[in-house]
PDB file of all heavy atoms in Angstrom:
ATOM      1  N   GLN A   1       0.861  -1.169   0.000  1.00  0.00           N
ATOM      2  CA  GLN A   1       0.034   0.005   0.017  1.00  0.00           C
ATOM      3  C   GLN A   1       0.869   1.220   0.039  1.00  0.00           C
ATOM      4  O   GLN A   1       0.541   2.262  -0.639  1.00  0.00           O
ATOM      5  CB  GLN A   1      -0.949  -0.007   1.250  1.00  0.00           C
ATOM      6  CG  GLN A   1      -1.975  -1.074   1.201  1.00  0.00           C
ATOM      7  CD  GLN A   1      -1.473  -2.474   1.459  1.00  0.00           C
ATOM      8  OE1 GLN A   1      -0.601  -2.651   2.332  1.00  0.00           O
ATOM      9  NE2 GLN A   1      -1.989  -3.476   0.743  1.00  0.00           N
ATOM     10  N   TRP A   2       1.908   1.243   0.816  1.00  0.00           N
ATOM     11  CA  TRP A   2       2.850   2.416   0.782  1.00  0.00           C
ATOM     12  C   TRP A   2       3.376   2.616  -0.667  1.00  0.00           C
ATOM     13  O   TRP A   2       3.500   3.691  -1.173  1.00  0.00           O
ATOM     14  CB  TRP A   2       3.959   2.191   1.745  1.00  0.00           C
ATOM     15  CG  TRP A   2       3.642   2.413   3.202  1.00  0.00           C
ATOM     16  CD1 TRP A   2       3.294   1.524   4.147  1.00  0.00           C
ATOM     17  CD2 TRP A   2       3.616   3.702   3.821  1.00  0.00           C
ATOM     18  NE1 TRP A   2       3.027   2.124   5.327  1.00  0.00           N
ATOM     19  CE2 TRP A   2       3.246   3.430   5.218  1.00  0.00           C
ATOM     20  CE3 TRP A   2       3.846   5.029   3.472  1.00  0.00           C
ATOM     21  CZ2 TRP A   2       3.129   4.447   6.157  1.00  0.00           C
ATOM     22  CZ3 TRP A   2       3.760   6.011   4.434  1.00  0.00           C
ATOM     23  CH2 TRP A   2       3.366   5.707   5.781  1.00  0.00           C
ATOM     24  N   ASN A   3       3.820   1.502  -1.282  1.00  0.00           N
ATOM     25  CA  ASN A   3       4.378   1.611  -2.654  1.00  0.00           C
ATOM     26  C   ASN A   3       3.401   2.110  -3.644  1.00  0.00           C
ATOM     27  O   ASN A   3       3.708   2.941  -4.524  1.00  0.00           O
ATOM     28  CB  ASN A   3       4.891   0.190  -3.091  1.00  0.00           C
ATOM     29  CG  ASN A   3       6.150  -0.230  -2.414  1.00  0.00           C
ATOM     30  OD1 ASN A   3       6.909   0.656  -1.866  1.00  0.00           O
ATOM     31  ND2 ASN A   3       6.488  -1.490  -2.438  1.00  0.00           N
ATOM     32  N   ALA A   4       2.066   1.729  -3.440  1.00  0.00           N
ATOM     33  CA  ALA A   4       1.067   2.194  -4.345  1.00  0.00           C
ATOM     34  C   ALA A   4       0.944   3.665  -4.292  1.00  0.00           C
ATOM     35  O   ALA A   4       0.882   4.362  -5.346  1.00  0.00           O
ATOM     36  CB  ALA A   4      -0.252   1.484  -4.074  1.00  0.00           C
ATOM     37  N   LEU A   5       0.856   4.198  -3.071  1.00  0.00           N
ATOM     38  CA  LEU A   5       0.702   5.710  -2.941  1.00  0.00           C
ATOM     39  C   LEU A   5       1.917   6.467  -3.392  1.00  0.00           C
ATOM     40  O   LEU A   5       1.770   7.479  -4.088  1.00  0.00           O
ATOM     41  CB  LEU A   5       0.357   6.027  -1.512  1.00  0.00           C
ATOM     42  CG  LEU A   5      -0.257   7.425  -1.224  1.00  0.00           C
ATOM     43  CD1 LEU A   5      -1.532   7.622  -2.109  1.00  0.00           C
ATOM     44  CD2 LEU A   5      -0.609   7.521   0.263  1.00  0.00           C
ATOM     45  N   ILE A   6       3.130   5.968  -2.938  1.00  0.00           N
ATOM     46  CA  ILE A   6       4.343   6.635  -3.305  1.00  0.00           C
ATOM     47  C   ILE A   6       4.492   6.592  -4.820  1.00  0.00           C
ATOM     48  O   ILE A   6       4.820   7.664  -5.471  1.00  0.00           O
ATOM     49  CB  ILE A   6       5.594   5.974  -2.674  1.00  0.00           C
ATOM     50  CG1 ILE A   6       5.535   6.196  -1.116  1.00  0.00           C
ATOM     51  CG2 ILE A   6       6.856   6.470  -3.345  1.00  0.00           C
ATOM     52  CD1 ILE A   6       6.604   5.354  -0.451  1.00  0.00           C
ATOM     53  N   GLY A   7       4.183   5.454  -5.535  1.00  0.00           N
ATOM     54  CA  GLY A   7       4.350   5.386  -6.998  1.00  0.00           C
ATOM     55  C   GLY A   7       3.286   6.283  -7.671  1.00  0.00           C
ATOM     56  O   GLY A   7       3.633   6.823  -8.658  1.00  0.00           O
ATOM     57  N   GLY A   8       2.164   6.522  -7.049  1.00  0.00           N
ATOM     58  CA  GLY A   8       1.076   7.368  -7.624  1.00  0.00           C
ATOM     59  C   GLY A   8       1.626   8.820  -7.626  1.00  0.00           C
ATOM     60  O   GLY A   8       1.474   9.527  -8.654  1.00  0.00           O
ATOM     61  N   TYR A   9       2.248   9.219  -6.538  1.00  0.00           N
ATOM     62  CA  TYR A   9       2.791  10.598  -6.527  1.00  0.00           C
ATOM     63  C   TYR A   9       3.961  10.810  -7.505  1.00  0.00           C
ATOM     64  O   TYR A   9       4.010  11.869  -8.167  1.00  0.00           O
ATOM     65  CB  TYR A   9       3.372  10.946  -5.062  1.00  0.00           C
ATOM     66  CG  TYR A   9       2.208  11.413  -4.150  1.00  0.00           C
ATOM     67  CD1 TYR A   9       1.794  10.589  -3.097  1.00  0.00           C
ATOM     68  CD2 TYR A   9       1.656  12.743  -4.280  1.00  0.00           C
ATOM     69  CE1 TYR A   9       0.794  10.974  -2.223  1.00  0.00           C
ATOM     70  CE2 TYR A   9       0.651  13.074  -3.429  1.00  0.00           C
ATOM     71  CZ  TYR A   9       0.231  12.273  -2.477  1.00  0.00           C
ATOM     72  OH  TYR A   9      -0.752  12.652  -1.609  1.00  0.00           O
ATOM     73  N   VAL A  10       4.753   9.794  -7.618  1.00  0.00           N
ATOM     74  CA  VAL A  10       5.839   9.945  -8.622  1.00  0.00           C
ATOM     75  C   VAL A  10       5.297   9.988 -10.067  1.00  0.00           C
ATOM     76  O   VAL A  10       5.728  10.788 -10.871  1.00  0.00           O
ATOM     77  CB  VAL A  10       6.808   8.663  -8.508  1.00  0.00           C
ATOM     78  CG1 VAL A  10       7.843   8.587  -9.648  1.00  0.00           C
ATOM     79  CG2 VAL A  10       7.454   8.663  -7.178  1.00  0.00           C
ATOM     80  N   GLN A  11       4.211   9.143 -10.352  1.00  0.00           N
ATOM     81  CA  GLN A  11       3.680   9.160 -11.676  1.00  0.00           C
ATOM     82  C   GLN A  11       3.012  10.543 -11.950  1.00  0.00           C
ATOM     83  O   GLN A  11       3.008  10.975 -13.135  1.00  0.00           O
ATOM     84  CB  GLN A  11       2.585   7.992 -11.734  1.00  0.00           C
ATOM     85  CG  GLN A  11       1.978   7.815 -13.136  1.00  0.00           C
ATOM     86  CD  GLN A  11       0.985   6.776 -13.182  1.00  0.00           C
ATOM     87  OE1 GLN A  11       1.176   5.719 -12.497  1.00  0.00           O
ATOM     88  NE2 GLN A  11      -0.009   6.845 -13.890  1.00  0.00           N
ATOM     89  N   ALA A  12       2.478  11.142 -10.898  1.00  0.00           N
ATOM     90  CA  ALA A  12       1.834  12.510 -11.061  1.00  0.00           C
ATOM     91  C   ALA A  12       2.872  13.622 -11.117  1.00  0.00           C
ATOM     92  O   ALA A  12       2.487  14.764 -11.016  1.00  0.00           O
ATOM     93  CB  ALA A  12       0.760  12.652 -10.030  1.00  0.00           C
ATOM     94  N   LYS A  13       4.135  13.282 -11.111  1.00  0.00           N
ATOM     95  CA  LYS A  13       5.265  14.260 -11.103  1.00  0.00           C
ATOM     96  C   LYS A  13       5.218  15.111  -9.816  1.00  0.00           C
ATOM     97  O   LYS A  13       5.596  16.228  -9.730  1.00  0.00           O
ATOM     98  CB  LYS A  13       5.163  15.210 -12.326  1.00  0.00           C
ATOM     99  CG  LYS A  13       5.169  14.545 -13.618  1.00  0.00           C
ATOM    100  CD  LYS A  13       6.413  13.733 -13.929  1.00  0.00           C
ATOM    101  CE  LYS A  13       6.377  13.092 -15.368  1.00  0.00           C
ATOM    102  NZ  LYS A  13       7.570  12.151 -15.563  1.00  0.00           N
ATOM    103  N   ARG A  14       4.846  14.507  -8.749  1.00  0.00           N
ATOM    104  CA  ARG A  14       4.798  15.156  -7.420  1.00  0.00           C
ATOM    105  C   ARG A  14       5.816  14.467  -6.488  1.00  0.00           C
ATOM    106  O   ARG A  14       5.531  13.847  -5.577  1.00  0.00           O
ATOM    107  CB  ARG A  14       3.392  15.111  -6.791  1.00  0.00           C
ATOM    108  CG  ARG A  14       2.407  15.965  -7.589  1.00  0.00           C
ATOM    109  CD  ARG A  14       0.929  15.760  -7.208  1.00  0.00           C
ATOM    110  NE  ARG A  14       0.666  16.096  -5.854  1.00  0.00           N
ATOM    111  CZ  ARG A  14      -0.560  16.068  -5.322  1.00  0.00           C
ATOM    112  NH1 ARG A  14      -1.595  15.707  -6.122  1.00  0.00           N
ATOM    113  NH2 ARG A  14      -0.851  16.380  -4.037  1.00  0.00           N
ATOM    114  N   GLY A  15       7.063  14.600  -6.969  1.00  0.00           N
ATOM    115  CA  GLY A  15       8.135  13.850  -6.274  1.00  0.00           C
ATOM    116  C   GLY A  15       8.372  14.319  -4.884  1.00  0.00           C
ATOM    117  O   GLY A  15       8.698  13.480  -4.058  1.00  0.00           O
ATOM    118  N   LYS A  16       8.135  15.588  -4.499  1.00  0.00           N
ATOM    119  CA  LYS A  16       8.405  16.032  -3.168  1.00  0.00           C
ATOM    120  C   LYS A  16       7.521  15.327  -2.220  1.00  0.00           C
ATOM    121  O   LYS A  16       7.932  14.802  -1.147  1.00  0.00           O
ATOM    122  CB  LYS A  16       8.132  17.554  -3.095  1.00  0.00           C
ATOM    123  CG  LYS A  16       8.585  18.153  -1.795  1.00  0.00           C
ATOM    124  CD  LYS A  16       8.508  19.697  -1.839  1.00  0.00           C
ATOM    125  CE  LYS A  16       8.978  20.285  -0.537  1.00  0.00           C
ATOM    126  NZ  LYS A  16       8.849  21.737  -0.514  1.00  0.00           N
ATOM    127  N   GLU A  17       6.182  15.218  -2.583  1.00  0.00           N
ATOM    128  CA  GLU A  17       5.296  14.481  -1.662  1.00  0.00           C
ATOM    129  C   GLU A  17       5.597  13.011  -1.614  1.00  0.00           C
ATOM    130  O   GLU A  17       5.442  12.459  -0.502  1.00  0.00           O
ATOM    131  CB  GLU A  17       3.798  14.592  -2.124  1.00  0.00           C
ATOM    132  CG  GLU A  17       3.228  15.991  -1.915  1.00  0.00           C
ATOM    133  CD  GLU A  17       3.062  16.747  -3.275  1.00  0.00           C
ATOM    134  OE1 GLU A  17       3.947  16.739  -4.105  1.00  0.00           O
ATOM    135  OE2 GLU A  17       2.010  17.421  -3.415  1.00  0.00           O
ATOM    136  N   ALA A  18       6.174  12.450  -2.654  1.00  0.00           N
ATOM    137  CA  ALA A  18       6.538  11.018  -2.657  1.00  0.00           C
ATOM    138  C   ALA A  18       7.667  10.840  -1.693  1.00  0.00           C
ATOM    139  O   ALA A  18       7.598   9.835  -0.865  1.00  0.00           O
ATOM    140  CB  ALA A  18       6.976  10.629  -4.040  1.00  0.00           C
ATOM    141  N   LEU A  19       8.640  11.749  -1.577  1.00  0.00           N
ATOM    142  CA  LEU A  19       9.757  11.547  -0.693  1.00  0.00           C
ATOM    143  C   LEU A  19       9.297  11.840   0.769  1.00  0.00           C
ATOM    144  O   LEU A  19       9.751  11.219   1.705  1.00  0.00           O
ATOM    145  CB  LEU A  19      10.829  12.551  -1.035  1.00  0.00           C
ATOM    146  CG  LEU A  19      11.556  12.190  -2.357  1.00  0.00           C
ATOM    147  CD1 LEU A  19      12.646  13.256  -2.759  1.00  0.00           C
ATOM    148  CD2 LEU A  19      12.155  10.779  -2.333  1.00  0.00           C
ATOM    149  N   VAL A  20       8.358  12.773   0.969  1.00  0.00           N
ATOM    150  CA  VAL A  20       7.791  12.962   2.347  1.00  0.00           C
ATOM    151  C   VAL A  20       7.100  11.666   2.796  1.00  0.00           C
ATOM    152  O   VAL A  20       7.254  11.236   3.912  1.00  0.00           O
ATOM    153  CB  VAL A  20       6.732  14.132   2.296  1.00  0.00           C
ATOM    154  CG1 VAL A  20       5.988  14.217   3.579  1.00  0.00           C
ATOM    155  CG2 VAL A  20       7.509  15.421   2.062  1.00  0.00           C
ATOM    156  N   LEU A  21       6.325  11.039   1.925  1.00  0.00           N
ATOM    157  CA  LEU A  21       5.683   9.703   2.259  1.00  0.00           C
ATOM    158  C   LEU A  21       6.761   8.656   2.599  1.00  0.00           C
ATOM    159  O   LEU A  21       6.622   7.892   3.567  1.00  0.00           O
ATOM    160  CB  LEU A  21       4.854   9.225   1.122  1.00  0.00           C
ATOM    161  CG  LEU A  21       3.335   9.561   1.089  1.00  0.00           C
ATOM    162  CD1 LEU A  21       2.745   9.044  -0.166  1.00  0.00           C
ATOM    163  CD2 LEU A  21       2.694   8.937   2.324  1.00  0.00           C
ATOM    164  N   PHE A  22       7.824   8.694   1.848  1.00  0.00           N
ATOM    165  CA  PHE A  22       8.887   7.710   2.094  1.00  0.00           C
ATOM    166  C   PHE A  22       9.481   7.947   3.479  1.00  0.00           C
ATOM    167  O   PHE A  22       9.740   6.931   4.264  1.00  0.00           O
ATOM    168  CB  PHE A  22      10.062   7.891   1.001  1.00  0.00           C
ATOM    169  CG  PHE A  22      11.226   7.065   1.250  1.00  0.00           C
ATOM    170  CD1 PHE A  22      11.147   5.659   1.329  1.00  0.00           C
ATOM    171  CD2 PHE A  22      12.511   7.611   1.405  1.00  0.00           C
ATOM    172  CE1 PHE A  22      12.218   4.845   1.571  1.00  0.00           C
ATOM    173  CE2 PHE A  22      13.645   6.826   1.583  1.00  0.00           C
ATOM    174  CZ  PHE A  22      13.474   5.441   1.686  1.00  0.00           C
ATOM    175  N   GLN A  23       9.638   9.210   3.894  1.00  0.00           N
ATOM    176  CA  GLN A  23      10.140   9.452   5.243  1.00  0.00           C
ATOM    177  C   GLN A  23       9.126   9.035   6.332  1.00  0.00           C
ATOM    178  O   GLN A  23       9.530   8.499   7.417  1.00  0.00           O
ATOM    179  CB  GLN A  23      10.444  11.022   5.394  1.00  0.00           C
ATOM    180  CG  GLN A  23      11.684  11.421   4.608  1.00  0.00           C
ATOM    181  CD  GLN A  23      11.822  12.937   4.565  1.00  0.00           C
ATOM    182  OE1 GLN A  23      10.920  13.668   4.833  1.00  0.00           O
ATOM    183  NE2 GLN A  23      12.990  13.405   4.118  1.00  0.00           N
ATOM    184  N   GLU A  24       7.859   9.261   6.111  1.00  0.00           N
ATOM    185  CA  GLU A  24       6.844   8.871   7.009  1.00  0.00           C
ATOM    186  C   GLU A  24       6.819   7.329   7.167  1.00  0.00           C
ATOM    187  O   GLU A  24       6.646   6.795   8.216  1.00  0.00           O
ATOM    188  CB  GLU A  24       5.435   9.251   6.517  1.00  0.00           C
ATOM    189  CG  GLU A  24       5.190  10.817   6.699  1.00  0.00           C
ATOM    190  CD  GLU A  24       3.747  11.100   6.133  1.00  0.00           C
ATOM    191  OE1 GLU A  24       2.825  10.206   6.039  1.00  0.00           O
ATOM    192  OE2 GLU A  24       3.539  12.266   5.815  1.00  0.00           O
TER     193      GLU A  24
END
């Protein structure tokens, strides 16, 4: 589930939020 959400942010070109999720 974490990967699905992080991957969604990356696909949407919202890399900053993806990295914030990675830290969480």
